[in-house]
């Protein structure tokens, strides 16, 4: 989300008569009706509060940390309700009302959805059927929170729109005397937009913060941890979130993912509010890694203070109901990190100068550590998937490609960074009879199904080419093989369904004949686009090229004078139609001529509604490459594709340049 526009606007205030308007600073935005909306709404509110404060508005003088926390909680509840129970686009309006003779200054939040027929969800016990009372995890904490925090609130129904508004008075609440604000979290976390600053004494002694600010802290911490794809980053962020807000220092150990009982936990993160003390703390903690037994659960466990003498610290591990027992230095408490019934590590935090961590803080940390466990588990699942994908990708692509006599080649292959196996593949290999063959293909979809097709197609192509079949015949036979393989898979799936559900095999056979082969679980037929060709060196230089395109972006031939033309004709995808005869085209690639072959990751690269190849965009880009080497052409086309849009490509990108010498 970009900068929040703050403007002077004229809007109707809740409770005023139609036509009665006042000018107020207003920030407004539209949010998608999906689970990301509440987090975006919280960031939006914090950014608006920060901007209004920076503008020096009179009412902003009364802004407090508690008011910011309350506004974040209220908008989170209202947007969550709108997303879960309406599912439409959410319109959010945030307004600052200056004080008048009748009313004090206030923040007004309005959340509108476009499903007014659905009532607003309340979390009061008994207010809904038992089947719908699923708890706050799915439905938010409900209107009781809004009612408790707002001065007043209400619902307005208009044609096609339901608006829920809440008014929070601006007061001059400040932290207790003698406290100072916490510094921002370090290492570029941008916490000014994510977490409300909290005073140390307010955290230790102010129960009101534990009840109000804790909700905001947990919500924003979840947003920050969710989506992190590296467990070490999760551990580092967790330590910086805990220190100095909830502890003076923190250490996080992570269990090896595939380690047994004898495996030693790894000290992944150490954080101290005084950076000068971090090294000494790490040295003390590395002497004996923490591994909490399963029997202690996820509750707080008192631990010896690092470096303390044994006669001053509690010996052993014991679970305590409300925080660690103190030593001369302070109280150290550990929590087990767990997810899916597995122990993933442990969190140890220390509070100096106290004998016992307050119950409210230990409960808050326990809730926070559960979120850390979920984030670590998700990061490990992603890492496993990405590792498997990399191994599969290496196995599905050639370790090296052949060099064609009289031709220089350049390859670019960039799989999309989504942690799954891509569908693009390539190959250049020698065949009997002084022939060299090249392949550039794109399997429909990605992931395991695409990997299966790639794993079949590339070896089949090599085998057919080396058996001496001509270009068109190779595609004919590959098409038949794909259809036969898909039919066998579909028939096996039909047999399984028939055995499990008592269906007649005749019905399954009729479905196959009428609708064609389908993969199990409702998948699509195994089809792919393919550019396949062969080259034969000519005695006077250059090569004779014969190729065919099966539903693939057409190859482009670049002459030295900058002219560009398509070098093949488009034909049907492989694996779709049974009765098809593929035809090939032949031409001479003279010295200096270049052949560019690409996948749709190049031609369909998007920038908004526009695509890279709109209006023969690829041909124009290639025409500007006259005089370049094969490597220079590949590099320029790749750079043009990347620069076409601000965002990175979201599809596999593959291209091959073959240049006759």
């Amino acid at each position: 989300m970009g900068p929040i526009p703050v403007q002077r606007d004229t809007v109707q205030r809740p409770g005023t008569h139609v036509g009665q308007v006042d000018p107020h600073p207003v920030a407004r935005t539209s949010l998608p009706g999906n689970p990301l909306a509440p987090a975006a709404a919280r960031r939006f509110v914090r950014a608006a509060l920060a901007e209004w404060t920076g503008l020096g508005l009179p009412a902003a003088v009364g802004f407090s940390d508690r008011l910011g926390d309350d506004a974040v909680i209220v908008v989170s509840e209202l947007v969550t309700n709108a997303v879960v129970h309406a599912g439409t686009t959410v319109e959010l309006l945030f307004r600052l009302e200056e004080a008048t003779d009748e009313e004090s200054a206030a923040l007004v939040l309005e959340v509108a959805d476009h499903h007014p027929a659905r009532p607003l969800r309340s979390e009061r016990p008994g207010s809904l059927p038992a089947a719908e009372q699923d708890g706050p995890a799915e439905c938010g904490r409900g209107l009781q929170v809004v009612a408790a925090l707002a001065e007043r609130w209400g619902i307005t129904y208009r044609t096609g729109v339901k608006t829920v508004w809440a008014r929070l008075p601006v007061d001059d609440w400040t932290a207790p005397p003698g406290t100072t604000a916490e510094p921002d979290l370090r290492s570029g976390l941008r916490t000014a937009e994510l977490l409300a600053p909290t005073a140390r004494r307010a955290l230790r002694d102010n129960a009101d913060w534990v009840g109000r600010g804790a909700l905001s802290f947990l919500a924003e911490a979840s947003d920050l941890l969710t989506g992190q794809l590296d467990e070490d980053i999760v551990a580092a962020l967790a330590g910086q979130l805990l220190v100095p807000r909830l502890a003076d220092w923190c250490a996080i150990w992570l269990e090896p993912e595939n380690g047994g009982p004898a495996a030693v936990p790894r000290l992944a993160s150490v954080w101290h509010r005084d950076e000068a003390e971090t090294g000494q703390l790490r040295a003390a903690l590395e002497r004996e890694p923490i591994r909490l037994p399963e029997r202690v659960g996820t509750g707080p466990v008192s631990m010896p203070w690092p470096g303390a003498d044994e006669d001053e610290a509690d010996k052993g591990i014991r679970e305590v109901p409300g925080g660690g027992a103190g030593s001369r230095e302070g109280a150290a408490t550990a929590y087990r990190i767990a997810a899916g019934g597995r122990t993933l590590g442990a969190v140890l935090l220390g509070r100096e100068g106290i004998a016992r961590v307050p119950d409210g803080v230990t409960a808050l940390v326990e809730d926070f550590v559960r979120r850390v466990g979920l984030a670590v588990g998700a990061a490990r699942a992603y890492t496993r998937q990405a590792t498997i994908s990399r191994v599969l990708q290496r196995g599905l692509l050639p370790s090296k490609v052949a060099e064609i006599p009289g031709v220089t080649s350049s390859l670019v292959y960039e799989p999309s960074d989504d942690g799954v196996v891509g569908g693009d593949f390539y190959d250049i290999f020698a065949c009997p009879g002084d022939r060299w063959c090249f392949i550039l293909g794109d399997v429909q979809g990605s992931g395991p199904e695409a990997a299966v097709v790639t794993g079949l197609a590339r070896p089949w192509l090599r085998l057919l080419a080396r058996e001496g079949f001509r270009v068109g015949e190779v595609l004919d036979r590959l098409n038949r093989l794909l259809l036969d393989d898909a039919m066998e898979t579909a028939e096996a799936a039909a047999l399984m369904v028939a055995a499990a559900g008592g269906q007649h095999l005749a019905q399954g056979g009729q479905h196959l004949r009428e609708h064609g082969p389908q993969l199990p679980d409702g998948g699509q037929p195994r089809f792919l686009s393919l550019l396949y060709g062969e080259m034969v060196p000519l005695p006077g230089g250059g090569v004779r090229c014969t190729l065919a395109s099966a539903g693939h972006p057409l190859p482009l031939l670049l002459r030295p004078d900058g002219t560009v033309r398509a070098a093949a004709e488009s034909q049907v995808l492989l694996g779709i139609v049974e009765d098809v005869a593929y035809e090939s085209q032949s031409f001479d690639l003279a010295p200096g001529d270049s052949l560019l072959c690409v996948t749709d990751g190049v031609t369909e690269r998007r920038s908004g509604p526009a695509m890279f190849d709109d209006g023969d965009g690829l041909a124009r880009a290639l025409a500007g490459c006259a005089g370049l080497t094969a490597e220079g052409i590949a590099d320029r086309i790749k750079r043009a594709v990347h620069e076409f849009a601000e965002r990175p490509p979201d599809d596999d990108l593959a291209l091959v340049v073959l240049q006759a010498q």
Side-chain angles (χ1 to χ4, degrees):
M1 181 180 297
I4 306 298
V6 179
Q7 59 189 36
R8 303 294 294 188
D9 202 353
T10 301
V11 295
Q12 184 177 344
R13 293 168 54 186
T16 61
H17 299 290
V18 176
Q20 179 182 351
V21 294
D22 288 319
H24 303 295
V26 171
R28 61 177 83 231
T29 190
S30 294
L31 302 170
N34 61 40
L36 299 177
R42 292 192 290 267
R43 291 193 295 270
F44 178 85
V45 166
R46 291 214 180 278
L49 289 173
E51 189 163 352
W52 288 338
T53 301
L55 291 174
L57 301 175
V61 175
F63 286 177
S64 64
D65 295 337
R66 188 179 74 174
L67 178 64
D69 289 335
D70 289 355
V72 166
I73 294 169
V74 169
V75 77
S76 184
E77 297 308 316
L78 295 183
V79 172
T80 299
N81 255 318
V83 169
V84 172
H85 304 294
T88 69
T89 300
V90 179
E91 308 297 331
L92 171 60
L93 183 146
F94 190 34
R95 183 173 69 251
L96 172 61
E97 294 187 349
E98 303 286 354
T100 66
D101 294 338
E102 293 80 16
E103 291 186 313
S104 62
L107 296 175
V108 177
L109 286 158
E110 296 184 13
V111 175
D113 63 65
H114 300 278
H115 204 309
R118 293 191 181 183
L120 195 65
R121 177 67 170 262
S122 173
E123 292 298 316
R124 292 191 300 273
S127 63
L128 293 168
E132 296 186 29
Q133 293 185 3
D134 296 325
E138 180 181 347
C139 309
R141 289 173 290 271
L143 295 177
Q144 286 183 320
V145 173
V146 177
L149 299 180
E151 180 184 59
R152 60 178 184 268
W153 66 279
I155 308 173
T156 302
Y157 292 92
R158 297 190 301 274
T159 303
V161 178
K162 177 179 83 269
T163 302
V164 186
W165 58 268
R167 188 177 192 276
L168 298 115
V170 175
D171 56 28
D172 57 354
W173 183 91
T174 56
T179 62
T180 58
E182 292 285 4
D184 289 341
L185 295 185
R186 288 158 283 191
S187 299
L189 287 179
R190 297 177 62 227
T191 48
E193 295 181 12
L194 297 175
L195 296 171
T198 305
R200 292 282 298 175
R201 187 172 300 177
L203 174 61
R204 290 181 175 179
D205 305 329
N206 193 335
D208 183 64
W209 185 90
V210 174
R212 293 171 179 249
L215 298 177
S216 175
F217 172 82
L218 290 174
E220 301 295 357
S222 295
D223 292 341
L224 194 59
L225 295 173
T226 301
Q228 300 297 336
L229 304 180
D230 187 300
E231 63 180 59
D232 287 332
I233 294 178
V234 172
L237 289 174
Q240 294 175 74
L241 289 167
L242 287 171
V243 178
R245 281 174 170 76
L246 299 174
D248 293 302
W249 55 264
C250 171
I252 297 177
W253 283 265
L254 293 178
E255 297 278 354
E257 185 171 8
N258 299 318
V264 178
R266 174 174 61 89
L267 186 58
S269 176
V270 178
W271 202 259
H272 198 289
R273 63 184 177 87
D274 183 355
E275 291 187 23
E277 300 291 334
T278 301
Q280 183 177 354
L281 175 62
R282 177 180 287 275
L285 294 170
E286 285 177 339
R287 298 190 189 106
E288 188 173 355
I290 287 182
R291 170 173 281 168
L292 300 178
E294 299 284 343
R295 61 179 172 78
V296 304
T298 59
V301 177
S302 67
M303 299 294 292
W305 191 267
D309 296 335
E310 289 191 359
D311 59 351
E312 293 183 348
D314 291 344
K315 297 181 180 180
I317 299 174
R318 62 182 180 88
E319 191 169 9
V320 294
S327 71
R328 180 181 61 188
E329 293 83 1
T333 310
Y335 300 80
R336 188 166 67 95
I337 303 174
R342 296 183 57 192
T343 297
L344 304 180
V347 174
L348 176 66
L349 55 86
R351 297 285 295 274
E352 298 175 356
I354 62 173
R356 183 176 179 276
V357 179
D359 293 349
V361 174
T362 57
L364 178 58
V365 174
E366 186 176 351
D367 204 351
F368 174 81
V369 172
R370 279 195 290 269
R371 287 160 168 78
V372 173
L374 294 174
V376 171
R380 289 188 170 184
Y382 174 84
T383 301
R384 287 193 297 271
Q385 177 179 314
T387 301
I388 293 172
S389 294
R390 285 193 295 269
V391 172
L392 283 175
Q393 201 81 63
R394 286 196 298 268
L396 296 174
L397 297 175
S399 57
K400 63 179 296 184
V401 296
E403 294 184 4
I404 304 175
V407 175
T408 59
S409 62
S410 182
L411 284 163
V412 172
Y413 178 73
E414 295 180 352
S416 59
D417 188 19
D418 55 6
V420 298
V421 179
D424 291 4
F425 64 98
Y426 60 86
D427 202 357
I428 301 176
F429 55 93
C431 288
D434 199 27
R435 296 179 297 126
W436 277 262
C437 298
F438 60 92
I439 302 167
L440 187 60
D442 185 2
V443 180
Q444 182 256 351
S446 60
E449 289 186 359
V452 169
V453 180
T454 302
L456 295 172
R458 196 170 67 85
W460 279 344
L461 282 165
R462 281 199 171 209
L463 178 62
L464 292 169
R466 287 170 175 168
E467 287 296 316
F469 291 105
R470 291 175 296 181
V471 170
E473 293 174 332
V474 168
L475 296 188
D476 290 342
R477 283 160 174 75
L478 178 59
N479 183 56
R480 182 69 262 168
L481 287 167
L482 288 170
L483 288 168
D484 289 345
D485 185 74
M487 182 66 75
E488 291 174 2
T489 302
E491 288 175 344
L495 288 171
M496 294 173 61
V497 171
Q503 302 295 323
H504 296 293
L505 290 178
Q507 294 177 349
Q510 181 179 359
H511 178 81
L512 288 173
R513 289 190 294 272
E514 293 178 353
H515 302 284
Q518 301 288 319
L519 289 177
D521 302 323
Q524 297 298 315
R526 295 176 173 178
F527 62 83
L528 72 150
S529 70
L530 183 72
L531 181 66
Y532 169 69
E534 65 177 32
M535 290 185 170
V536 177
L538 297 174
V543 294
R544 181 71 172 172
C545 181
T546 303
L547 51 75
S549 173
H552 201 80
L554 297 182
L556 298 177
L557 177 61
L558 171 66
R559 300 294 188 186
D561 61 1
T563 59
V564 176
R565 70 171 181 87
E569 296 179 359
S570 182
Q571 301 176 81
V572 68
L573 290 162
L574 293 166
I576 297 294
V577 181
E578 181 176 358
D579 298 326
V580 60
Y582 289 93
E583 298 181 354
S584 61
Q585 291 81 41
S586 297
F587 57 91
D588 289 343
L589 202 64
D593 290 347
S594 301
L595 186 68
L596 172 65
C597 311
V598 303
T599 59
D600 61 8
V602 173
T603 57
E604 298 180 6
R605 165 79 158 129
R606 288 191 173 272
S607 177
M611 290 193 297
F612 182 75
D613 198 33
D614 287 347
D616 294 327
L618 179 59
R620 291 197 309 273
L622 180 60
C625 298
L628 297 179
T629 64
E631 184 177 356
I633 294 173
D635 182 69
R636 180 170 293 186
I637 297 298
K638 179 186 73 171
R639 188 166 63 250
V641 172
H642 278 275
E643 293 174 352
F644 184 70
E646 293 183 1
R647 300 184 61 182
D650 57 4
D651 193 7
D652 300 337
L653 189 155
L655 63 90
V656 179
V657 178
L658 301 169
Q659 188 176 78
Q661 299 300 304

